[in-house]
Amino acid sequence: PRIDSDILDLLPQNNPVVHNFRSITRDFKSLDYLFVLIQTKNPAKHPIQGYEDYADIFAEQLKTTGMVEGVEYRLQDYMPLVDRLLPYTLLYLNKKDLNEVAAKFSDKGISRQVALDRLMLENPASLLIKEKIQYDPFNLFPVLQRHFLGKTRELKVDLSDGYYLSRAPHPQALLMIVRPVKPAQNIQFGKALMNKVAACETRARAEWKREGGNTSDLVVRYGGGYPIAQDDANLIKRDSLINTITSILLVMIIFVAAFRRKSALAYCWIPLMFGLLMTFGIAHLLGVTLNSVTAGSGAMLIGLGIDFSIVLYGRYIEERNRGVGVDESISSIMGNTGKGVAVGALTTAGTYGVMYFTHFPGMRQIGALTAVGIMFCLLGVFTLLPAMLYFHHVHKTRRGIDPTFHMHSFGVEKLGRAAYRFPRTTLAVALILTIILGVSATGLKLEDSVQNLRSPNNRGLKVTQDVYQIFGASLTYMMVAVRGKTPDDIVRKSQAVVNAVAPLHKKHDILFTDAVNTYLPPLSQQREVIRTLREDPEGRFSFQRIKTAFDAACEKQGFRTSYFSHYLGKLQEMVSPSGPVTYHMLEDSPLKAILDKFIVQKGPDHYRGVVYLYIPEAFKRWPPPGLISMVHEAVPGAKVVGINMLSRTLRTKIQSDALFAFVLGTILVVILILVDFRSIKAVLFALLPLAVGLIWLLGCLRLFDEPLNMMNIFVTTMIIGIGSDYGIHFVHRHMEKDGHDMPRVIQESGKPIVIAALTTIAGFGSMVFSSYPGLKSVGYVALLGTLSCMVATLTVLVALMTLLDRRKDRAQS
C-alpha cells in the first residue's frame, strides 16, 4: 500500500480549522524547510569557522540539483539583493530609521564611518569585510537587515564572519536553511531530494578533502519537514513489518505452549492468513494508504482474528477428550459455539466499523480495514477449519495413529476455579477494586497535541529540535491569511494585521511578526518617505552635500573615491527616488523568491497573503488571549491558523467523536447480543465483564500516568467488541444443557478464553514497541483492556453465575 506520513491526513478534513491550516500551509509551504546543521567533532582543534568554505561548496552543489529554490546560510547571499534594491532603500524605512540614516549621512557621521572603514581594512580583513565596505561604506546594512532578514533577524546567530554560526555557550554549529521547490508531504519528491542531498554531501566532502580540508571531524545532519517526512515513512514501514512479525512470533509461541501440537498452528494460521491476504489485497486495490495509524492493523488482525480458531478448536479438543467422535465434535463446534463465535465476530467488527462514522480519517481507515479483516478471518475459519479438522482425522486414522489433544491455559483458568469456590469473597474484592480504580479514572487526562503523535525516534525531528535549541529564537508561529484583488491590497491588509497585534507584541505574547510589508512597504508609507526626501529643508539627504563630505573623508583617509563609484551612483537614486517600489517591479528581482513566501496569485485579480506571528512556547497549546478578535476586527475575513488552534479544535472533536463511537458501539453490541440471546438477563451477564473491565482499564491508565490521546481514546470502543466476546462465549456455554456444571464450563470455555485473550494481547501488545507514541499507547490500552475483561470474565462473571446457580438449585430442591 501507498505510504502516507502526513499527520494532517489523520485529522477531520471538513473541519474549517483543519481546512484553513492545510490550505494556507499548502499555498505558502510554510512548514517546508530543509535544515542542514554542520558541526565539528573536535571544536578545539577544528573550530566551526574552518568549515565555512565547505559550506560554500555544499551550497553550490545543492543549487545544481534543480530541486531547491534557494540556500540561506550567509550574509553574502543578501549582497545582490541589497545592491539591486539600493536605489529603493530609504523607501523601506520608517521615520525612526530615516533619522538614523540621516545621522549617518551627516558630515560628522560620514567622517567617523570612513575612518572606521580604514581601520577595519588595516587589520587582517576577510573578503566579506572588504566587499561590505565597498558596497556599504556608510554602514547602512544594520538598519536594512531588520527589513531583509525576515525571521533570521531573530535567530541567535553570530554574523561576524557573515555565516549563520551559533553563539557561545551553545555547541559550535553552522546553519543552512534550504528551500526546496516542492512540499515535504510529497514523499516521492522528498525521497529523491534527500538522495540528491546525500550525493551532494559526498561530492562536497571529496572536493573539500582535495583542497586540504579536514573531513574526519565534519558532521552534517539534516532537519526540517523533508527528513522528518522521510524518516516517518521509513518508520511506518519498519513498524508495520516489526509489529506484524512480532505478533506472529508471540502468538506462535503461545500456541505451541498452549496446544503442544504442530497441527494446531495450521488450524489457526491458515484461516488467519486467508483473512489477512484478502484484507490487504482488497485494501491495495482500493488504494487504502498505510500511515502511522493503519501501520498496526496487521498486528490487530492477528490478535483478533485468531480468537475464532482458538475458541472453536478449544471446544473441539474438549469434545474429543470426552470421547465424542469427530463428526459430532465438528457439529458441536459449528453449532452453538460457532454461533457464539459469529456473534462475537460481529460485535468486534461492529465496534471497529462504527469508527468509520467519526470525523478522523485515520480512525475511519483503521476501523473499516479492521472490520473488513475480521469478517474475512471469520469466513476463513468457518470454511477452512472444519475441513482441516476432518482431513487431519482421516489422515491420522489411515496411518493408524490415535491422536492426542492438549490445551493449556498456563494456570490462568485457576482464577475461575477460585471464583467458583469463593464467589462472595471474589465479588467483594472485585467491588473494592472497581471502586478504587473508578475513582482513579476520574483524574485521567486527554492529550490533544498532534505533534506528540510524532515518533521521538525520528532523526529529522531530533535535528530540528537541536536547531531550535542551538539558534535560540522560537520558530513556533501562527499564520494569518488575507485576500485581496491586488498585491498592494495584500500589503495594506498585512500591515493592518501587524498594527492590530502590536499590543500583544508589547506584552511579549507575540515575539515578532514577519509579513510581506517587511519586503514591500505599503504605498502610503513609501509616498510619505518620498515627500520627506523631496522637502528636506535642512539638506540631510542632499546628494551633493553627502558626496562632497564623503570625498573629503576619503581623501583624508587615503581612499580612492573611484573604489566607491558604483555605490555612489546608486546613492544618488536612493536619496531622490523617482517613485515607489511595486510588487511587479520586484517580480524579476532576487527578492521574488522571498516574496513568494508571503504572497501568491490564486487567479485574475485574486491574491493571497500571509502574516507570520511568532509566539512564545507558553502559547503552543492555545492562542494568545485576544489575538483572534484583534485580527478579525482589523481585517474582516482574515483566517487565523496554527498548531495551537488545531489542538484546541481537536480537543473538542476528539471527545465528541470518541463518545459518539463509544455510545454507537455499545448500542450495536447490545442489539447483536439481544438478537442472539433474546434475553435481557443474558445480555447483562454477557456485558458485565466488559463494564468492569473498562473501569479497571481507565483506572490503570491513570495509575500508570498514560493519558488518552486522539488515537487510543478510540480503543475504548474497540475494547467493547473485544471484551464482550469473552462474556458472550461464556454465557453461550452456560446456556447449554450441561451449562450449570460450572467446573466443566470453566474447563471448556475458560481455557479458550484465556488463550484467546493472551493471543490478542500478543497481537496488540507488539505495538508497545512502535516508534509512534500514539500507536504505542494503543498497544498499552488494548493490552490492559483485554487483560481486564478476561480477568473480569473468569472472576466476576463466574462468581455471580455460581451464586445464581446455587440459589436456583436451592429453590428447586
Side-chain angles (χ1 to χ4, degrees), residues 492-774:
R492 180 172 47 80
K493 290 182 178 181
S494 297
Q495 185 64 56
V497 171
V498 172
N499 293 339
V501 301
L504 297 179
H505 194 179
K506 292 179 181 179
K507 293 169 56 180
H508 302 290
D509 287 350
I510 293 178
L511 300 178
F512 66 99
T513 60
D514 205 11
V516 65
N517 53 290
T518 302
Y519 309 92
L520 183 61
L523 291 177
S524 58
Q525 177 182 320
Q526 294 188 60
R527 292 190 180 105
E528 181 67 27
V529 172
I530 292 173
R531 184 164 50 252
T532 301
L533 294 175
R534 287 177 179 174
E535 294 175 355
D536 191 25
E538 301 175 5
R540 297 186 304 165
F541 298 99
S542 168
F543 175 72
Q544 291 302 327
R545 181 194 61 76
I546 294 172
K547 186 177 185 304
T548 300
F550 183 69
D551 288 345
C554 285
E555 183 177 354
K556 180 179 179 181
Q557 297 297 332
F559 281 119
R560 289 180 291 106
T561 54
S562 60
Y563 185 69
F564 303 102
S565 58
H566 175 78
Y567 180 83
L568 292 174
K570 301 281 187 179
L571 178 64
Q572 187 171 11
E573 298 179 66
M574 182 194 306
V575 296
S576 55
S578 57
V581 61
T582 65
Y583 175 80
H584 298 294
M585 290 172 60
L586 299 178
E587 280 190 303
D588 61 344
S589 76
L591 196 60
K592 178 64 167 61
I594 297 178
L595 291 180
D596 287 344
K597 288 292 182 183
F598 297 93
I599 183 170
V600 295
Q601 185 170 5
K602 302 288 290 182
D605 298 327
H606 183 192
Y607 290 84
R608 194 179 199 186
V610 66
V611 179
Y612 296 91
L613 310 177
Y614 289 82
I615 57 177
E617 294 296 306
F619 294 108
K620 285 185 68 174
R621 288 175 56 84
W622 53 80
L627 169 65
I628 298 175
S629 60
M630 289 177 177
V631 171
H632 288 165
E633 185 177 346
V635 184
K639 307 294 185 184
V640 185
V641 300
I643 292 292
N644 47 12
M645 292 186 64
L646 209 58
S647 294
R648 188 176 68 173
T649 301
L650 292 179
R651 185 182 305 120
T652 303
K653 187 59 69 176
I654 288 172
Q655 291 173 340
S656 62
D657 272 21
L659 180 61
F660 169 79
F662 183 86
V663 172
L664 185 59
T666 302
I667 294 173
L668 181 61
V669 168
V670 170
I671 292 174
L672 288 172
I673 300 176
L674 186 59
V675 170
D676 179 28
F677 289 132
R678 300 182 182 181
S679 167
I680 295 178
K681 182 178 179 181
V683 171
L684 295 176
F685 283 153
L687 293 179
L688 178 62
L690 171 63
V692 174
L694 283 174
I695 296 173
W696 291 359
L697 162 65
L698 298 177
C700 288
L701 289 177
R702 176 65 182 87
L703 292 178
F704 296 150
D705 199 26
E706 182 70 33
L708 291 174
N709 55 50
M710 62 170 288
M711 288 175 64
N712 69 22
I713 194 172
F714 292 98
V715 180
T716 56
T717 303
M718 303 178 195
I719 294 299
I720 295 174
I722 297 172
S724 62
D725 288 358
Y726 306 146
I728 291 171
H729 297 321
F730 201 91
V731 173
H732 256 289
R733 182 66 186 89
H734 184 265
M735 292 177 68
E736 294 183 22
K737 291 181 179 181
D738 57 352
H740 291 284
D741 184 356
M742 188 58 69
R744 182 174 172 181
V745 173
I746 295 171
Q747 175 74 14
E748 296 183 359
S749 293
K751 285 187 176 182
I753 287 173
V754 170
I755 299 171
L758 292 177
T759 54
T760 300
I761 289 171
F764 279 94
S766 66
M767 287 190 285
V768 302
F769 303 109
S770 173
S771 301
Y772 288 87

Side-chain angles (χ1 to χ4, degrees), residues 93 171 209 217 225 251 330 345 359 587 624 736:
L93 307 184
K209 189 173 184 179
D217 292 330
V251 170
I330 293 177
H359 295 87
E587 280 190 303
E736 294 183 22

Side-chain angles (χ1 to χ4, degrees), residues 396-562:
K396 290 289 187 181
T397 302
R398 287 177 179 175
R399 296 177 59 185
I401 301 175
D402 187 20
T404 56
F405 300 96
H406 304 278
M407 183 169 56
H408 302 275
S409 56
F410 314 102
V412 180
E413 82 282 356
K414 292 179 180 178
L415 284 173
R417 294 171 186 165
Y420 171 70
R421 292 176 59 193
F422 309 105
R424 288 184 174 82
T425 303
T426 300
L427 290 176
V429 171
L431 178 62
I432 294 172
L433 182 62
T434 303
I435 293 173
I436 293 174
L437 293 178
V439 173
S440 174
T442 59
L444 196 60
K445 299 178 182 178
L446 174 63
E447 174 58 67
D448 54 17
S449 172
V450 179
Q451 294 298 326
N452 288 345
L453 299 180
R454 184 80 73 179
S455 170
N457 296 328
N458 188 303
R459 292 174 298 175
L461 182 62
K462 290 181 179 179
V463 176
T464 304
Q465 292 170 343
D466 287 346
V467 168
Y468 294 167
Q469 291 174 1
I470 293 173
F471 292 94
S474 170
L475 294 182
T476 301
Y477 56 84
M478 298 179 66
M479 295 174 284
V480 180
V482 296
R483 295 183 182 273
K485 294 183 178 181
T486 65
D488 189 58
D489 284 344
I490 300 299
V491 174
R492 180 172 47 80
K493 290 182 178 181
S494 297
Q495 185 64 56
V497 171
V498 172
N499 293 339
V501 301
L504 297 179
H505 194 179
K506 292 179 181 179
K507 293 169 56 180
H508 302 290
D509 287 350
I510 293 178
L511 300 178
F512 66 99
T513 60
D514 205 11
V516 65
N517 53 290
T518 302
Y519 309 92
L520 183 61
L523 291 177
S524 58
Q525 177 182 320
Q526 294 188 60
R527 292 190 180 105
E528 181 67 27
V529 172
I530 292 173
R531 184 164 50 252
T532 301
L533 294 175
R534 287 177 179 174
E535 294 175 355
D536 191 25
E538 301 175 5
R540 297 186 304 165
F541 298 99
S542 168
F543 175 72
Q544 291 302 327
R545 181 194 61 76
I546 294 172
K547 186 177 185 304
T548 300
F550 183 69
D551 288 345
C554 285
E555 183 177 354
K556 180 179 179 181
Q557 297 297 332
F559 281 119
R560 289 180 291 106
T561 54
S562 60

Side-chain angles (χ1 to χ4, degrees), residues 28 75 89 129 222 264 433 466 673 685:
F28 298 100
L75 290 182
T89 297
I129 297 298
Y222 304 99
L433 182 62
D466 287 346
I673 300 176
F685 283 153

Side-chain angles (χ1 to χ4, degrees), residues 263-276:
S263 58
L265 293 176
Y267 297 151
C268 294
W269 281 103
I270 292 177
L272 179 62
M273 289 300 106
F274 168 82
L276 289 175

